[in-house]
Amino acid sequence: MARVAIVTGGTRGIGEAISLALKEAGFTVAANYAGNDEKAAAFAERTGIKAYKWDVGDFDACAEGVKKVEEELGPVDAVVNNAGITRDGTILKMSREMWEDVIRINLGGCFNMAHAVFPGMRTRKWGRIVNIGSINGQAGQYGQVNYAAAKSGIHGFTKALAQEGARFGVTVNAIAPGYIDTDMVAAVPADVLEKIVAKIPVGRLGQAHEIARAVAFLCSEDAGFVTGSTLSINGGQHMY
């Protein structure tokens, strides 16, 4: 029987690439999404991957979402915490709501999902949790104190939870992508994007499938001795 994986924010961008990579690796994948029903339905029809709607920032919704996936697909063996939002602004222009929204979803979502799946993984003595951080959680970024704080928190969360899961066969790792060619990055003004690319030693943006392949490895049997690690995939922009 195929192992089951949940990918949060799994119907678009990097999340879609991760969902597809895990399916190709033999997982039965559940792709979580938060808002766009039409695009989620199109994704499910195009890929054959079932989409499930819930807010990862809601503790109870995560518990219910995981329960539904397990009832329909089987016990969850892997979770990829990819869902995230931005609410950018300098601190003088950032409202409390902008701060709390990003922390609740980007960092809180990791806790909520891990809390929902960890007991089962521990009991079955096998599990894979992969948290998607960011280069901006490692190096910081002007106008992103909320996003940088959340992503930096993910890296610490990963190291701590890895210690709890290690003796039960549950690995916990993070990936810190640099600038990836997604819709979010495509929305950056051309002149700004040009400056960003100029700072990347390999001279280009990353591709979503390059992140997805790393996730697939970390979720595999072969990655059982890798835990508590953060893999930076950023073209050499930030060596950490």
Side-chain angles (χ1 to χ4, degrees):
M1 185 176 178
R3 294 194 183 277
V4 175
I6 295 176
V7 181
T8 68
T11 64
R12 301 174 63 186
I14 292 174
E16 177 177 355
I18 293 170
S19 294
L20 290 170
L22 290 177
K23 180 182 179 183
E24 185 178 342
F27 283 85
T28 298
V29 179
N32 154 268
Y33 73 102
N36 196 316
D37 295 325
E38 185 177 342
K39 287 190 176 181
F43 161 86
E45 183 176 353
R46 183 175 67 253
T47 65
I49 296 171
K50 191 164 184 179
Y52 293 81
K53 184 178 183 179
W54 72 80
D55 175 7
V56 298
D58 183 322
F59 181 83
D60 292 332
C62 287
E64 288 300 314
V66 168
K67 182 180 178 182
K68 183 176 181 181
V69 170
E70 292 192 323
E71 288 173 349
E72 296 183 3
L73 303 181
V76 174
D77 299 296
V79 166
V80 183
N81 287 309
N82 167 74
I85 63 169
T86 57
R87 297 287 186 269
D88 295 350
T90 59
I91 196 164
L92 295 179
K93 296 180 180 179
M94 184 175 293
S95 67
R96 181 73 188 188
E97 183 180 19
M98 292 165 69
W99 167 269
E100 290 181 348
D101 282 349
V102 170
I103 298 298
R104 181 181 71 86
I105 293 172
N106 296 18
L107 181 56
C110 289
F111 170 80
N112 295 340
M113 289 300 299
H115 193 277
V117 301
F118 197 81
M121 291 179 175
R122 174 175 158 149
T123 297
R124 294 187 300 274
K125 300 287 194 276
W126 201 97
R128 300 287 186 262
I129 297 174
V130 181
N131 303 311
I132 305 301
S134 171
I135 186 175
N136 292 342
Q138 297 172 316
Q141 180 60 270
Y142 183 91
Q144 283 196 328
V145 294
N146 50 3
Y147 186 83
K151 292 298 188 177
S152 180
I154 285 173
H155 300 313
F157 173 87
T158 296
K159 294 178 188 298
L161 187 58
Q163 294 179 48
E164 295 185 29
R167 66 192 179 98
F168 299 103
V170 181
T171 67
V172 187
N173 293 287
I175 290 177
Y179 286 88
I180 308 300
D181 190 8
T182 61
D183 290 344
M184 184 183 294
V185 172
V188 175
D191 59 328
V192 176
L193 190 58
E194 184 178 345
K195 292 176 182 177
I196 289 172
V197 173
K199 294 179 180 179
I200 302 174
V202 302
R204 65 173 176 84
L205 295 173
Q207 299 296 314
H209 69 83
E210 294 175 304
I211 306 301
R213 287 174 180 172
V215 172
F217 167 70
L218 291 174
C219 289
S220 71
E221 297 282 352
D222 291 336
F225 201 58
V226 183
T227 196
S229 294
T230 295
L231 176 58
S232 296
I233 307 179
N234 59 38
Q237 185 178 358
H238 181 66
M239 300 183 187
Y240 175 75

